[in-house]
Amino acid sequence: MSRDAETDAPAVRELSEATVERIAAGEVITRPARVVAELVENALDAGADRVEVAIDGDGTGRIRVADDGRGMGRADAVRAVEPHTTSKIRAADDLVEATTLGFRGEALSAVADAGALELVTNDGSAVGTRVAVTDGEKTVEDAGRARGTTVVVTDLFDDRPARRESLASPAREFGRISELITSYALARPDVAFSLEHDGRETASTPGTGLRDALVALYGRETGGESTAVTHRSGVDLADRAADLALEGRLCYPSTTRSTRDHVHVAVNGRPVRDDDIRRAVARGYGSLLPAGREPVAVVHLDLPAWAVDPNVHPAKERVAIRGGDAVADAVEAGVREALTTADLRRSGEVAMDLDSSLAPVGAAESDFADATVLGVFRDLYVVCESGDDLLVVDQHAAHERVNFERLRASLADEAVPSAELDPAETVTLDPPAAAGVEEYRDELSTLGFSVDPFGGTTYRVTAVPAPLGRVADAGALREVAADLRESGGRGGTDAIREGLLADLACHPSLKAGDALDRETAAQLVERLGECEQPYACPHGRPTVLSVAASTLAEGFERHGSG
C-alpha cells in the first residue's frame, strides 16, 4: 500500500456509503484459510517479492503473514483496520476496472473482528508502526521493522464457538491453507512464497518463474517433466473484441491425477476455480490422457479488466468471464498446439514379471476360452477371433483388470503387505498431497506405506506396498496421498483401499507401446476372461470391443454366405 503521489493524502481511504452498499461483502472470515487469503492478497497488491506464511495448528491459534511490499505510514496503518477503508478503489465505479486482487476495504477490520490482530508495518520511514486490535480496543505505537508489513492473527473465533465447531479437523483446515498457498504461488511465480506449519517448512518457491515454482511444489519428476504453453489470439467476448494471452506449463501426460484439482487457473493474476477453463485444458490433452485421469497443469489467462467480473463469489474463488465459451475454445486450442509440438516420449520398460502376472490361478473358467489371438495391432490392441465375433482387447486396460482382481483377492480384509526399502527413498510431494500424508497417516500404514518427514514436503519412504510380491515404486506415494486428500476419505477405508489397489494395478501394467508376442497376448486374454468383471478396467474404461461377423459382412456389402 502506498500514499497518493498527487495529493499526499492517506492512500487508505474510507469508502462512501454508496460504494459500501455496492460491495455488500458481508462476513468474509469463515475459516482460517480466508484470513490467509485476505492477507496474502494484500501483500501481493503491495508489490511484495516475498510472502512468508506461518500457521500454528489449524490456524485458529496463530496465523502470521509477512511481506516485503511497500508497507504503510502511520496514518494509513491506523485507518486500514477501520471498517470500509481501502487503498484499492475510490468509488463504486472502480469495481468494474479494478486490477488488484482485493478491493474489500473491510478485510483487516473483519479479521480483527474475528480474532486478535497485530499489524506491524513500515513504508521506508525511520520508525515503523504497530497497530494492535483486541476485543475492539486499538493501540498504536512505534515499531522497528524493515519496509513491508507483518500481520499476526491469534485466537481466531474464540468468541464464536459455533464457528469453531463448524471447522474441519486441524489437518483438513491446514490442508485448505496449503492448497491456497499452492494456488497463489503458481499464479504468481515471480513472488517467493514459503509456508510453515508448527515450525516446519512445508512449502517454498524461489520466485524465479513458473517452471521453478512447479518443481518446488510438485517435485522434479512432475514439474520438471513439463512443457511451456504460450498462445495469443483475438477473441469475440459477447460482441466485443478482445486480446487474449495464455501462458503456463503443461505436465507430460505420463503424470496424471484422479481429479481436475491439479489444473491450476489464474485469470489476470488471480487464482480461481474455473471448471470451464479446467475442462478446456483437459480437452486440449485429448487422447493423451487415460480415461478417468486428469492432467497437472498451470494456465495463466490475461484478459481486459472489463471482460472479468471478480465479484461473483463471496470468497473470490471464481470469476465471471464475458464470452466464456470463446475463451475456453482458445485455451483448448493453445494447450493442444503446445502438446502437439512437445516431445512427450516416455522411457521405461514393462515394470513387472509378466510370466507370474499372467500365470493361471485355480480352475476359473475364462469367458474368452475359445478366443484365438490373431495378432497385436500397434503394440496396443490384441486382436482375437472368438466364434462369430472379432474381439479387440486393450492390453493396458485388460492387464490392469487382471492385476486389480488378483490384488483384491489376495488381500481380502488384511492390510496390504509391505516391502522395506534399503536404502530408503525420498519423495517430494506437492503441499496438498503432503497434507494428505499427515491427515491419513494411519490409512497409509494400512495400505503398506511407511513414511517419515524429511524436511518441507519431502518424505523419507522406508516401506512401500508389495502385494503379490510386486513392490510398488516409492513414487506411488505421490498419487495415493493426492487421491486420499482429494477424496477426503469418503467411503471409508474400503473405498480408499479399492482406489489404492486400482492405482497399484495400473502402475505395473502393460502400457501402450509394450510389445507382446502372440503367446503372452493369449495368456493375457485368457486371464482377463477369468476376472469377475472382465469388460472394464478398475477405473471404468472398456477392456474389450466386439465386432460381429454380420457387422463386417454389412460393411463389405456381403449378403448371405457369398
Side-chain angles (χ1 to χ4, degrees), residues 378-475:
R378 299 184 67 180
D379 290 335
L380 178 58
Y381 303 110
V382 180
V383 183
C384 311
E385 178 185 5
S386 179
D388 290 334
D389 293 341
L390 186 70
L391 302 183
V392 182
V393 178
D394 183 311
Q395 67 184 37
H396 172 68
H399 201 196
E400 222 181 354
R401 167 53 63 179
V402 172
N403 285 332
F404 173 74
E405 293 206 3
R406 289 200 169 189
L407 293 176
R408 188 172 60 183
S410 71
L411 297 178
D413 295 326
E414 300 175 5
V416 178
S418 295
E420 291 189 7
L421 295 180
D422 187 16
E425 296 184 27
T426 57
V427 175
T428 300
L429 306 177
D430 58 89
V437 170
E438 300 298 333
E439 187 171 359
Y440 294 103
R441 190 174 290 275
D442 291 343
E443 287 84 353
L444 285 169
S445 177
T446 301
L447 296 172
F449 289 98
S450 178
V451 297
D452 299 302
F454 198 68
T457 58
T458 300
Y459 286 82
R460 184 170 177 267
V461 183
T462 57
V464 294
L468 297 183
R470 228 169 284 144
V471 180
D473 189 293

XYZ file of all heavy atoms in Angstrom, residues 378-475:
733
model
N -0.413 -52.264 -33.399
C 0.221 -51.040 -32.894
C 0.693 -51.164 -31.440
O 0.720 -50.200 -30.703
C -0.723 -49.843 -33.044
C -1.111 -49.559 -34.493
C -1.965 -48.329 -34.619
N -1.201 -47.118 -34.280
C -1.723 -45.887 -34.309
N -2.986 -45.712 -34.641
N -0.983 -44.847 -34.010
N 1.078 -52.371 -31.032
C 1.550 -52.597 -29.652
C 0.573 -52.034 -28.634
O 0.976 -51.494 -27.585
C 2.933 -51.975 -29.436
C 4.018 -52.722 -30.184
O 3.831 -53.929 -30.452
O 5.057 -52.109 -30.516
N -0.706 -52.155 -28.934
C -1.727 -51.565 -28.079
C -2.968 -52.445 -27.981
O -3.524 -52.628 -26.907
C -2.111 -50.181 -28.608
C -3.207 -49.417 -27.881
C -2.831 -49.219 -26.418
C -3.446 -48.064 -28.553
N -3.380 -53.032 -29.113
C -4.609 -53.814 -29.136
C -4.312 -55.258 -29.546
O -3.628 -55.502 -30.548
C -5.607 -53.223 -30.136
C -5.944 -51.772 -29.863
C -5.496 -50.762 -30.711
C -6.704 -51.419 -28.747
C -5.792 -49.436 -30.459
C -6.999 -50.092 -28.491
C -6.546 -49.101 -29.346
O -6.838 -47.792 -29.093
N -4.856 -56.197 -28.754
C -4.770 -57.614 -29.095
C -6.027 -57.975 -29.888
O -7.144 -57.768 -29.412
C -4.679 -58.490 -27.825
C -4.599 -59.965 -28.196
C -3.468 -58.076 -26.983
N -5.841 -58.508 -31.094
C -6.954 -58.824 -31.976
C -7.185 -60.336 -31.950
O -6.250 -61.122 -32.158
C -6.670 -58.356 -33.418
C -7.870 -58.629 -34.326
C -6.327 -56.863 -33.431
N -8.439 -60.733 -31.656
C -8.766 -62.150 -31.487
C -9.989 -62.541 -32.314
O -10.864 -61.722 -32.595
C -9.085 -62.480 -30.021
S -7.894 -61.871 -28.819
N -10.030 -63.823 -32.632
C -11.222 -64.413 -33.221
C -11.923 -65.217 -32.138
O -11.296 -66.023 -31.451
C -10.848 -65.316 -34.389
C -12.040 -66.011 -35.029
C -11.619 -66.991 -36.109
O -10.389 -67.194 -36.294
O -12.508 -67.571 -36.758
N -13.227 -64.995 -31.959
C -13.982 -65.700 -30.934
C -15.357 -66.028 -31.498
O -16.245 -65.179 -31.532
C -14.118 -64.854 -29.670
O -14.866 -65.533 -28.681
N -15.545 -67.282 -31.973
C -16.818 -67.651 -32.580
C -17.068 -66.813 -33.816
O -16.235 -66.734 -34.723
N -18.212 -66.162 -33.839
C -18.562 -65.307 -34.980
C -18.148 -63.856 -34.783
O -18.540 -62.994 -35.568
C -20.082 -65.366 -35.227
C -20.532 -66.711 -35.770
O -19.699 -67.388 -36.397
O -21.700 -67.071 -35.541
N -17.391 -63.584 -33.719
C -17.027 -62.212 -33.397
C -15.530 -61.988 -33.553
O -14.708 -62.899 -33.430
C -17.426 -61.865 -31.961
C -18.933 -61.832 -31.767
O -19.642 -61.712 -32.773
O -19.368 -61.932 -30.603
N -15.191 -60.739 -33.797
C -13.811 -60.274 -33.763
C -13.663 -59.459 -32.488
O -14.395 -58.487 -32.271
C -13.507 -59.407 -34.986
C -12.049 -58.965 -35.164
C -11.176 -60.156 -35.540
C -11.951 -57.873 -36.222
N -12.745 -59.846 -31.616
C -12.530 -59.146 -30.351
C -11.263 -58.294 -30.449
O -10.236 -58.750 -30.958
C -12.373 -60.132 -29.191
C -13.511 -61.111 -28.928
C -13.194 -61.957 -27.694
C -14.824 -60.381 -28.747
N -11.358 -57.082 -29.957
C -10.199 -56.200 -29.858
C -10.013 -55.855 -28.385
O -10.901 -55.257 -27.753
C -10.385 -54.915 -30.687
C -9.136 -54.050 -30.603
C -10.710 -55.246 -32.140
N -8.889 -56.247 -27.829
C -8.625 -56.100 -26.396
C -7.570 -55.020 -26.181
O -6.490 -55.070 -26.788
C -8.144 -57.435 -25.791
C -7.830 -57.270 -24.301
C -9.176 -58.526 -26.002
N -7.862 -54.046 -25.337
C -6.891 -53.016 -24.954
C -5.939 -53.649 -23.935
O -6.332 -53.991 -22.822
C -7.624 -51.818 -24.338
C -6.685 -50.681 -23.970
O -5.655 -50.942 -23.320
O -6.992 -49.535 -24.298
N -4.681 -53.816 -24.319
C -3.780 -54.596 -23.467
C -3.541 -53.939 -22.105
O -3.431 -54.634 -21.090
C -2.453 -54.856 -24.182
C -1.587 -53.629 -24.436
C -0.338 -53.981 -25.241
O -0.394 -54.816 -26.140
N 0.786 -53.342 -24.925
N -3.484 -52.609 -22.048
C -3.257 -51.964 -20.749
C -4.477 -52.114 -19.851
O -4.368 -52.509 -18.688
C -2.928 -50.478 -20.919
C -2.882 -49.727 -19.615
N -1.912 -49.927 -18.666
C -3.729 -48.798 -19.091
C -2.131 -49.156 -17.626
N -3.236 -48.455 -17.858
N -5.668 -51.795 -20.375
C -6.884 -51.896 -19.566
C -7.110 -53.331 -19.115
O -7.518 -53.591 -17.968
C -8.087 -51.393 -20.372
N -6.838 -54.292 -20.006
C -7.028 -55.704 -19.652
C -6.066 -56.123 -18.543
O -6.450 -56.777 -17.566
C -6.824 -56.565 -20.896
N -4.797 -55.747 -18.679
C -3.814 -56.142 -17.677
C -4.105 -55.474 -16.330
O -3.906 -56.065 -15.265
C -2.415 -55.771 -18.168
C -1.337 -56.556 -17.498
N -0.014 -56.192 -17.528
C -1.385 -57.700 -16.771
C 0.709 -57.058 -16.846
N -0.094 -57.996 -16.373
N -4.593 -54.247 -16.399
C -4.983 -53.536 -15.177
C -6.076 -54.309 -14.440
O -6.042 -54.455 -13.215
C -5.497 -52.152 -15.563
C -5.029 -51.043 -14.663
C -5.596 -49.694 -15.100
O -6.237 -49.593 -16.146
O -5.378 -48.745 -14.344
N -7.101 -54.772 -15.161
C -8.201 -55.530 -14.543
C -7.677 -56.823 -13.931
O -8.035 -57.171 -12.800
C -9.276 -55.814 -15.594
C -10.327 -56.841 -15.183
C -11.001 -56.543 -13.870
N -11.764 -55.314 -13.880
C -12.461 -54.879 -12.821
N -12.453 -55.548 -11.675
N -13.134 -53.750 -12.894
N -6.799 -57.529 -14.646
C -6.237 -58.776 -14.114
C -5.468 -58.507 -12.829
O -5.655 -59.190 -11.807
C -5.317 -59.438 -15.168
C -4.565 -60.625 -14.558
C -6.143 -59.901 -16.369
N -4.586 -57.513 -12.857
C -3.792 -57.194 -11.667
C -4.662 -56.761 -10.504
O -4.444 -57.150 -9.355
C -2.785 -56.083 -11.998
C -1.613 -56.587 -12.815
O -1.243 -57.755 -12.724
N -1.041 -55.713 -13.622
N -5.668 -55.944 -10.796
C -6.551 -55.436 -9.743
C -7.281 -56.573 -9.044
O -7.308 -56.639 -7.805
C -7.553 -54.456 -10.344
C -8.612 -53.997 -9.379
C -8.310 -53.097 -8.373
C -9.913 -54.468 -9.481
C -9.281 -52.672 -7.476
C -10.885 -54.046 -8.593
C -10.578 -53.155 -7.596
N -7.865 -57.480 -9.789
C -8.630 -58.563 -9.152
C -7.726 -59.508 -8.384
O -8.113 -60.052 -7.351
C -9.462 -59.292 -10.195
C -10.574 -58.418 -10.767
C -11.760 -59.198 -11.290
O -11.771 -60.447 -11.166
O -12.687 -58.550 -11.822
N -6.513 -59.703 -8.860
C -5.581 -60.555 -8.115
C -5.156 -59.886 -6.812
O -5.049 -60.552 -5.773
C -4.368 -60.871 -8.982
C -4.701 -61.809 -10.115
C -3.474 -62.493 -10.659
N -3.860 -63.574 -11.556
C -3.009 -64.468 -12.045
N -1.732 -64.416 -11.706
N -3.409 -65.419 -12.846
N -4.904 -58.593 -6.886
C -4.547 -57.881 -5.664
C -5.683 -57.937 -4.656
O -5.483 -58.226 -3.469
C -4.213 -56.415 -5.988
C -2.964 -56.145 -6.809
C -2.848 -54.660 -7.106
C -1.728 -56.647 -6.095
N -6.886 -57.656 -5.111
C -8.040 -57.629 -4.212
C -8.285 -58.996 -3.594
O -8.542 -59.115 -2.398
C -9.281 -57.177 -4.981
C -10.494 -56.933 -4.089
C -11.616 -56.299 -4.874
N -12.044 -57.148 -5.982
C -12.985 -56.795 -6.854
N -13.570 -55.616 -6.764
N -13.322 -57.610 -7.836
N -8.174 -60.054 -4.388
C -8.414 -61.409 -3.874
C -7.339 -61.837 -2.888
O -7.618 -62.523 -1.902
C -8.484 -62.391 -5.035
N -6.114 -61.406 -3.132
C -5.011 -61.844 -2.269
C -5.045 -61.178 -0.897
O -4.551 -61.727 0.084
C -3.674 -61.551 -2.946
O -3.412 -60.157 -2.957
N -5.657 -59.992 -0.828
C -5.618 -59.239 0.421
C -6.860 -59.430 1.267
O -6.796 -59.346 2.494
C -5.424 -57.746 0.111
C -4.109 -57.402 -0.570
C -4.047 -55.920 -0.870
C -2.931 -57.812 0.289
N -8.006 -59.666 0.608
C -9.276 -59.774 1.337
C -9.391 -58.597 2.288
O -9.331 -57.462 1.885
C -9.372 -61.115 2.050
N -9.526 -58.837 3.593
C -9.663 -57.749 4.555
C -8.361 -57.450 5.282
O -8.349 -56.752 6.293
C -10.756 -58.101 5.584
C -12.125 -58.197 4.951
O -12.368 -57.436 4.001
O -12.925 -59.039 5.386
N -7.269 -57.980 4.817
C -5.995 -57.798 5.500
C -5.322 -56.493 5.059
O -5.663 -55.916 4.033
C -5.069 -58.983 5.198
C -5.634 -60.333 5.644
C -4.733 -61.478 5.214
O -3.645 -61.176 4.668
O -5.110 -62.637 5.414
N -4.360 -56.081 5.863
C -3.571 -54.923 5.479
C -2.714 -55.276 4.268
O -2.368 -56.437 4.041
C -2.679 -54.480 6.638
N -2.390 -54.281 3.484
C -1.549 -54.506 2.313
C -0.128 -54.821 2.768
O 0.448 -54.070 3.561
C -1.550 -53.263 1.399
C -0.641 -53.489 0.198
C -2.963 -52.940 0.950
N 0.461 -55.943 2.306
C 1.834 -56.271 2.705
C 2.803 -55.193 2.257
O 2.582 -54.513 1.244
C 2.104 -57.593 1.973
C 0.762 -58.128 1.602
C -0.118 -56.942 1.409
N 3.896 -55.052 3.009
C 4.901 -54.041 2.703
C 6.225 -54.690 2.358
O 6.496 -55.846 2.700
C 5.110 -53.101 3.900
O 3.959 -52.371 4.169
N 7.043 -53.922 1.680
C 8.431 -54.309 1.445
C 9.302 -53.157 1.901
O 9.048 -51.999 1.554
C 8.666 -54.607 -0.029
N 10.309 -53.463 2.708
C 11.208 -52.413 3.168
C 12.121 -51.966 2.034
O 12.549 -52.769 1.214
C 12.048 -52.918 4.350
C 11.236 -53.141 5.616
C 12.119 -53.433 6.812
O 13.365 -53.332 6.669
O 11.576 -53.743 7.876
N 12.390 -50.672 1.999
C 13.306 -50.111 1.021
C 14.671 -49.906 1.671
O 14.785 -49.233 2.693
C 12.774 -48.769 0.497
C 11.471 -48.819 -0.301
C 11.081 -47.412 -0.747
C 11.592 -49.731 -1.506
N 15.681 -50.484 1.097
C 17.031 -50.358 1.640
C 17.991 -50.086 0.479
O 18.267 -50.971 -0.331
C 17.439 -51.631 2.367
C 18.776 -51.486 3.097
O 19.204 -50.328 3.288
O 19.382 -52.515 3.446
N 18.430 -48.853 0.354
C 18.195 -47.728 1.264
C 16.811 -47.098 1.051
O 16.187 -47.327 0.016
C 19.301 -46.747 0.876
C 19.509 -47.012 -0.591
C 19.330 -48.501 -0.753
N 16.390 -46.343 2.062
C 15.125 -45.636 1.949
C 15.209 -44.596 0.820
O 16.294 -44.128 0.475
C 14.788 -44.955 3.269
N 14.040 -44.255 0.277
C 13.991 -43.265 -0.794
C 13.256 -42.025 -0.314
O 12.414 -42.107 0.584
C 13.283 -43.839 -2.031
C 14.007 -45.017 -2.660
C 13.334 -45.481 -3.932
O 12.674 -44.647 -4.595
O 13.445 -46.676 -4.254
N 13.567 -40.896 -0.920
C 12.860 -39.661 -0.590
C 11.930 -39.292 -1.739
O 12.270 -39.480 -2.906
C 13.831 -38.493 -0.324
O 14.658 -38.299 -1.460
C 14.679 -38.775 0.904
N 10.769 -38.786 -1.383
C 9.761 -38.382 -2.359
C 9.301 -36.979 -1.994
O 8.929 -36.723 -0.838
C 8.557 -39.342 -2.363
C 7.470 -38.827 -3.303
C 8.991 -40.743 -2.763
N 9.335 -36.074 -2.957
C 8.853 -34.711 -2.742
C 7.415 -34.609 -3.233
O 7.122 -34.953 -4.377
C 9.732 -33.693 -3.477
O 11.068 -33.788 -2.985
C 9.216 -32.275 -3.245
N 6.524 -34.161 -2.364
C 5.108 -34.055 -2.680
C 4.716 -32.597 -2.858
O 5.367 -31.701 -2.332
C 4.262 -34.661 -1.559
C 4.588 -36.105 -1.155
C 3.711 -36.520 0.022
C 4.380 -37.050 -2.320
N 3.643 -32.347 -3.613
C 3.083 -31.008 -3.611
C 2.422 -30.788 -2.252
O 2.062 -31.753 -1.562
C 2.075 -30.827 -4.743
C 0.935 -31.810 -4.672
O -0.064 -31.495 -4.002
O 1.037 -32.893 -5.270
N 2.278 -29.541 -1.808
C 1.768 -29.289 -0.457
C 0.432 -29.956 -0.131
O 0.269 -30.511 0.962
C 1.676 -27.756 -0.398
C 2.769 -27.301 -1.302
C 2.767 -28.293 -2.447
N -0.581 -29.958 -1.020
C -1.827 -30.661 -0.673
C -1.625 -32.153 -0.445
O -2.224 -32.738 0.465
C -2.722 -30.390 -1.887
C -2.234 -29.100 -2.434
C -0.741 -29.173 -2.266
N -0.785 -32.804 -1.282
C -0.530 -34.226 -1.080
C 0.205 -34.460 0.239
O -0.047 -35.441 0.950
C 0.278 -34.789 -2.251
N 1.128 -33.534 0.583
C 1.819 -33.654 1.874
C 0.832 -33.537 3.022
O 0.934 -34.252 4.029
C 2.900 -32.574 1.990
N -0.146 -32.647 2.878
C -1.192 -32.556 3.901
C -1.966 -33.860 3.978
O -2.399 -34.280 5.061
C -2.136 -31.391 3.579
N -2.150 -34.534 2.832
C -2.821 -35.830 2.829
C -2.038 -36.880 3.600
O -2.615 -37.710 4.303
N -0.714 -36.838 3.484
C 0.117 -37.774 4.248
C -0.091 -37.568 5.747
O -0.241 -38.519 6.519
C 1.601 -37.610 3.886
C 2.485 -38.396 4.853
C 1.846 -38.069 2.450
N -0.104 -36.298 6.166
C -0.281 -36.017 7.591
C -1.674 -36.410 8.066
O -1.844 -36.953 9.158
C -0.043 -34.524 7.855
C 1.353 -34.033 7.486
C 2.446 -34.721 8.287
O 2.160 -35.154 9.429
O 3.569 -34.846 7.771
N -2.676 -36.155 7.230
C -4.061 -36.403 7.641
C -4.410 -37.887 7.634
O -5.203 -38.356 8.447
C -5.001 -35.642 6.706
C -6.459 -35.677 7.143
C -7.320 -34.727 6.315
O -6.773 -34.044 5.430
O -8.533 -34.671 6.576
N -3.801 -38.653 6.713
C -4.189 -40.053 6.536
C -3.015 -40.994 6.801
O -2.858 -42.011 6.138
C -4.734 -40.265 5.117
C -6.016 -39.523 4.863
C -6.024 -38.342 4.127
C -7.221 -39.987 5.380
C -7.203 -37.650 3.919
C -8.398 -39.306 5.167
C -8.390 -38.134 4.433
O -9.562 -37.444 4.220
N -2.208 -40.639 7.791
C -1.029 -41.461 8.084
C -1.412 -42.892 8.456
O -0.765 -43.855 8.029
C -0.223 -40.816 9.213
C 1.132 -41.458 9.436
C 1.924 -40.670 10.466
N 2.332 -39.378 9.943
C 3.435 -39.199 9.222
N 4.195 -40.234 8.929
N 3.767 -37.996 8.807
N -2.460 -43.068 9.255
C -2.882 -44.422 9.647
C -3.343 -45.226 8.433
O -3.013 -46.416 8.297
C -4.011 -44.359 10.683
C -3.532 -43.835 12.028
O -2.298 -43.840 12.260
O -4.380 -43.427 12.836
N -4.114 -44.569 7.552
C -4.591 -45.270 6.357
C -3.423 -45.667 5.456
O -3.403 -46.771 4.894
C -5.576 -44.391 5.578
C -6.941 -44.246 6.219
C -6.983 -43.163 7.287
O -5.901 -42.617 7.615
O -8.066 -42.865 7.780
N -2.445 -44.790 5.333
C -1.284 -45.104 4.503
C -0.515 -46.295 5.061
O -0.008 -47.130 4.302
C -0.366 -43.880 4.400
C -0.860 -42.759 3.480
C -0.009 -41.511 3.663
C -0.839 -43.192 2.022
N -0.446 -46.374 6.390
C 0.222 -47.512 7.016
C -0.515 -48.810 6.695
O 0.096 -49.828 6.357
C 0.313 -47.299 8.529
O 0.898 -48.423 9.158
N -1.849 -48.754 6.798
C -2.654 -49.934 6.471
C -2.486 -50.323 5.007
O -2.547 -51.499 4.650
C -4.145 -49.651 6.752
O -4.298 -49.317 8.138
C -5.008 -50.852 6.430
N -2.255 -49.332 4.177
C -2.106 -49.586 2.747
C -0.679 -49.958 2.355
O -0.390 -50.138 1.176
C -2.548 -48.345 1.967
C -4.036 -47.983 2.109
C -4.321 -46.647 1.473
C -4.904 -49.059 1.504
N 0.208 -50.065 3.335
C 1.540 -50.602 3.059
C 2.671 -49.605 3.004
O 3.812 -49.975 2.730
N 2.400 -48.325 3.270
C 3.453 -47.314 3.233
C 3.980 -47.025 4.635
O 3.213 -46.987 5.606
C 2.929 -46.000 2.650
C 2.640 -46.037 1.183
C 1.349 -46.243 0.727
C 3.658 -45.857 0.261
C 1.075 -46.283 -0.626
C 3.389 -45.881 -1.100
C 2.099 -46.096 -1.547
N 5.266 -46.795 4.719
C 5.875 -46.285 5.944
C 6.678 -45.055 5.565
O 7.633 -45.148 4.773
C 6.785 -47.331 6.583
O 7.397 -46.807 7.752
N 6.248 -43.889 6.094
C 6.874 -42.629 5.685
C 7.192 -41.779 6.912
O 6.492 -41.834 7.924
C 5.965 -41.827 4.724
C 5.725 -42.604 3.442
C 4.648 -41.473 5.368
N 8.250 -41.006 6.797
C 8.644 -40.071 7.848
C 8.972 -38.726 7.216
O 9.505 -38.671 6.101
C 9.884 -40.580 8.599
C 9.639 -41.907 9.280
O 8.712 -41.967 10.110
O 10.372 -42.867 8.978
N 8.668 -37.605 7.913
C 9.022 -36.284 7.379
C 10.527 -36.175 7.161
O 11.319 -36.697 7.943
C 8.539 -35.326 8.480
C 7.522 -36.093 9.255
C 7.973 -37.520 9.205
N 10.914 -35.467 6.088
C 12.329 -35.327 5.774
C 12.654 -33.879 5.430
O 13.603 -33.584 4.738
C 12.699 -36.257 4.607
C 14.166 -36.518 4.460
C 14.860 -37.252 5.412
C 14.861 -36.034 3.363
C 16.209 -37.499 5.276
C 16.220 -36.272 3.212
C 16.897 -37.011 4.173
N 11.786 -32.956 5.903
C 12.014 -31.539 5.642
C 11.131 -31.024 4.536
O 11.077 -31.603 3.453
N 10.398 -29.949 4.833
C 9.486 -29.383 3.851
C 8.407 -30.378 3.476
O 7.804 -31.025 4.336
N 8.182 -30.548 2.193
C 7.192 -31.529 1.733
C 7.873 -32.796 1.218
O 7.283 -33.571 0.470
C 6.314 -30.940 0.621
O 7.152 -30.519 -0.455
C 5.503 -29.758 1.127
N 9.122 -32.991 1.608
C 9.843 -34.211 1.239
C 9.690 -35.238 2.362
O 9.798 -34.914 3.546
C 11.328 -33.920 0.994
O 11.443 -32.976 -0.071
C 12.083 -35.185 0.626
N 9.416 -36.485 1.962
C 9.228 -37.561 2.932
C 10.197 -38.699 2.647
O 10.533 -38.975 1.493
C 7.789 -38.094 2.883
C 6.799 -37.136 3.515
C 6.309 -36.060 2.802
C 6.402 -37.295 4.839
C 5.426 -35.155 3.380
C 5.521 -36.411 5.428
C 5.040 -35.342 4.699
O 4.183 -34.459 5.281
N 10.637 -39.314 3.707
C 11.514 -40.484 3.605
C 10.629 -41.727 3.613
O 9.904 -41.981 4.583
C 12.484 -40.490 4.788
C 13.524 -41.598 4.767
C 14.559 -41.336 5.853
N 15.543 -42.394 5.933
C 15.452 -43.432 6.747
N 14.412 -43.531 7.588
N 16.396 -44.358 6.758
N 10.664 -42.476 2.541
C 9.824 -43.670 2.399
C 10.665 -44.885 2.737
O 11.639 -45.201 2.049
C 9.259 -43.788 0.975
C 8.329 -44.986 0.866
C 8.529 -42.504 0.586
N 10.303 -45.574 3.815
C 11.074 -46.741 4.259
C 10.406 -48.057 3.903
O 11.031 -49.108 3.974
C 11.294 -46.689 5.786
O 10.021 -46.622 6.446
C 12.112 -45.457 6.171
N 9.129 -48.014 3.534
C 8.439 -49.230 3.109
C 7.330 -48.856 2.146
O 6.720 -47.791 2.269
C 7.865 -49.987 4.306
N 7.075 -49.728 1.192
C 6.048 -49.486 0.181
C 5.173 -50.724 0.053
O 5.559 -51.820 0.464
C 6.678 -49.158 -1.196
C 7.420 -47.834 -1.156
C 7.597 -50.284 -1.657
N 3.971 -50.567 -0.516
C 3.107 -51.731 -0.715
C 3.791 -52.765 -1.611
O 4.451 -52.418 -2.586
C 1.868 -51.147 -1.395
C 1.893 -49.688 -1.070
C 3.335 -49.320 -0.967
N 3.591 -54.030 -1.269
C 4.164 -55.117 -2.073
C 3.180 -56.275 -2.163
O 3.502 -57.401 -1.792
C 5.489 -55.578 -1.481
N 1.973 -56.034 -2.641
C 1.010 -57.138 -2.771
C 1.469 -58.113 -3.841
O 2.017 -57.719 -4.866
C -0.281 -56.426 -3.191
C 0.172 -55.164 -3.828
C 1.430 -54.764 -3.130
N 1.235 -59.424 -3.582
C 1.652 -60.473 -4.509
C 3.139 -60.409 -4.828
O 3.574 -60.815 -5.899
C 0.849 -60.387 -5.816
C -0.666 -60.612 -5.703
C -1.298 -60.578 -7.075
C -0.968 -61.928 -5.014
N 3.909 -59.849 -3.867
C 5.333 -59.752 -4.086
C 5.737 -58.688 -5.075
O 6.904 -58.576 -5.440
N 4.760 -57.883 -5.527
C 5.038 -56.846 -6.505
C 5.297 -55.552 -5.760
O 4.392 -54.983 -5.163
C 3.841 -56.702 -7.446
C 4.232 -56.667 -8.906
C 3.023 -56.788 -9.777
N 2.557 -58.158 -9.804
C 1.292 -58.501 -9.856
N 0.378 -57.578 -9.872
N 0.954 -59.758 -9.901
N 6.502 -55.067 -5.766
C 6.879 -53.913 -4.967
C 6.544 -52.634 -5.725
O 6.974 -52.439 -6.861
C 8.380 -53.940 -4.620
C 8.760 -52.730 -3.785
C 8.717 -55.238 -3.891
N 5.760 -51.778 -5.080
C 5.397 -50.510 -5.703
C 6.593 -49.570 -5.712
O 7.498 -49.681 -4.880
C 4.233 -49.870 -4.962
N 6.581 -48.657 -6.633
C 7.593 -47.605 -6.664
C 7.318 -46.641 -5.518
O 6.163 -46.361 -5.184
C 7.494 -46.870 -8.010
C 8.654 -45.900 -8.216
O 8.706 -44.896 -7.464
O 9.455 -46.120 -9.114
N 8.397 -46.106 -4.909
C 8.199 -45.137 -3.821
C 7.384 -43.951 -4.296
O 6.637 -43.334 -3.533
C 9.546 -44.674 -3.272
N 7.495 -43.618 -5.582
C 6.737 -42.506 -6.133
C 5.238 -42.731 -6.114
O 4.469 -41.779 -6.290
